[in-house]
Amino acid sequence: MLVTSAKAAKKPGDPVYQAVLKGNREKIGVIVDQALAEGRQPKEIIETSLIPAINQVGKYFEDQTYFLPQLIASAEAMEKGIARLTPLLSADAKDQKATVILATVEGDIHDIGKNLVALMLRNYGYRVLDLGKDVSAEKIVAAAVKEGAAIIGLSALMTTTMMRMKDVVDCVREKGCSSKVIIGGAVTTQSFADEIGADGYSGDAASAVTLVDHLLENQ
Ligand code: B1M
């Protein structure tokens, strides 16, 4: 199972880690292929190289060692690395379980974590409709009603956009939509989920699957 935590992070000498850290979007595909050829597993590369590297980039951005161009280059390298590994992780689409609508909330364009959540849920057989990033509450709820979604999953990475999650919860109640709302993303917490009336919170992509399983079992 993809754990998506940085518990067993590789040492900084790891070429995949370095490729994200240095924003090497040109060569990351080849570097990931080399890691696979050496016998590393796709999920292990994501957990112990890609995620720790992008988190380190975030720290450098915060302390102003890195600026926006480096942040963008690293994000692109990360995305290319994940795109290279995705076909090796995705499960068959047959025997799909319930529908989950995913989106990054309005005003927020961070989608790497949300894409990992989509990948995990698909791996576990859920039908995932990913609406993308910077998506309005109205659009999310309209899609959930149209598709009969059991779950709406929201991601937000910024303190300035997390309140847009409450807009979605409010819109769900207003429209009498039956979907349950779960939230995640680095800035969010269980207490924030409780505060805005969301049905669940998860801190990483793996526990998002457990949470969805649990919410649907208890319906
Ligand atoms: Co931006 N950014 N960024 N950024 N960026 C952060 C979030 C920031 C913390 C960096 C910092 O200052 N240290 C900061 C936000 C500060 C704050 O509000 N607290 C920030 C900022 C300020 C900005 C800009 C405003 C910069 C600027 O323009 N001056 C701008 C925002 C534009 C906008 O959104 N309107 C911006 C832009 C960008 C890039 C485009 C360059 C790029 C994003 C590319 C992309 O996503 N396609 C980017 C990146 C890469 C980051 C950091 C470095 C890394 C984010 C990431 O992908 N992490 C980030 C610093 C950080 O978080 N360490 C930062 C890896 C990812 C796997 O983790 O998304 O948390 P995460 O997802 C996890 C869990 O949280 C969870 O599962 C995932 C996997 O385990 N999870 C869920 C996520 N969603 C979930 C949903 C669920 C369940 C679990 O249920 C539905």
Side-chain angles (χ1 to χ4, degrees):
M1 185 170 72
L2 186 62
V3 176
T4 64
S5 78
K7 276 177 202 149
K10 285 252 162 205
K11 292 230 163 67
D14 163 24
V16 180
Y17 180 95
Q18 286 300 327
V20 173
L21 202 66
K22 293 183 178 153
N24 192 347
R25 44 203 161 186
E26 294 79 21
K27 295 206 180 122
I28 186 132
V30 175
I31 292 169
V32 166
D33 282 345
Q34 275 164 1
L36 290 167
E38 283 160 16
R40 291 186 63 189
Q41 295 301 308
K43 63 178 185 179
E44 184 267 327
I45 295 173
I46 293 177
E47 286 164 17
T48 66
S49 298
L50 295 173
I51 292 179
I54 199 75
N55 284 337
Q56 185 57 45
V57 169
K59 285 183 193 138
Y60 284 158
F61 184 66
E62 206 165 1
D63 69 17
Q64 301 193 339
T65 305
Y66 274 14
F67 295 95
L68 200 53
Q70 287 133 311
L71 184 64
I72 291 170
S74 290
E76 286 179 9
M78 170 96 180
E79 284 163 16
K80 285 191 175 171
I82 290 175
R84 173 69 192 89
L85 296 168
T86 299
L88 306 177
L89 287 161
S90 295
D92 278 352
K94 50 185 173 178
D95 297 333
Q96 283 186 334
K97 299 192 212 163
T99 297
V100 180
I101 298 272
L102 283 184
T104 303
V105 294
E106 189 162 20
D108 198 322
I109 62 165
H110 296 89
D111 66 356
I112 293 172
K114 184 257 302 159
N115 294 343
L116 286 174
V117 174
L119 182 62
M120 280 296 290
L121 287 167
R122 287 189 180 117
N123 268 331
Y124 280 79
Y126 286 99
R127 174 177 175 250
V128 176
L129 299 178
D130 186 346
L131 304 183
K133 54 201 173 187
D134 188 14
V135 188
S136 70
E138 290 72 21
K139 194 173 168 191
I140 293 167
V141 177
V145 170
K146 180 168 176 270
E147 299 293 338
I151 302 281
I152 294 174
L154 305 173
S155 186
L157 267 282
M158 297 195 294
T159 45
T160 48
T161 56
M162 56 197 287
M163 282 316 282
R164 301 287 72 77
M165 293 174 147
K166 181 169 184 328
D167 298 347
V168 179
V169 173
D170 291 347
C171 191
V172 161
R173 311 282 181 250
E174 253 169 49
K175 307 266 184 213
C177 169
S178 60
S179 313
K180 291 192 187 289
V181 180
I182 66 163
I183 67 163
V187 283
T188 60
T189 58
Q190 180 65 57
S191 65
F192 178 68
D194 296 342
E195 187 188 315
I196 65 169
D199 299 289
Y201 159 78
S202 123
D204 59 56
S207 50
V209 176
T210 319
L211 175 63
V212 169
D213 286 345
H214 177 73
L215 286 171
L216 296 182
E217 265 164 33
N218 291 335
Q219 262 190 340

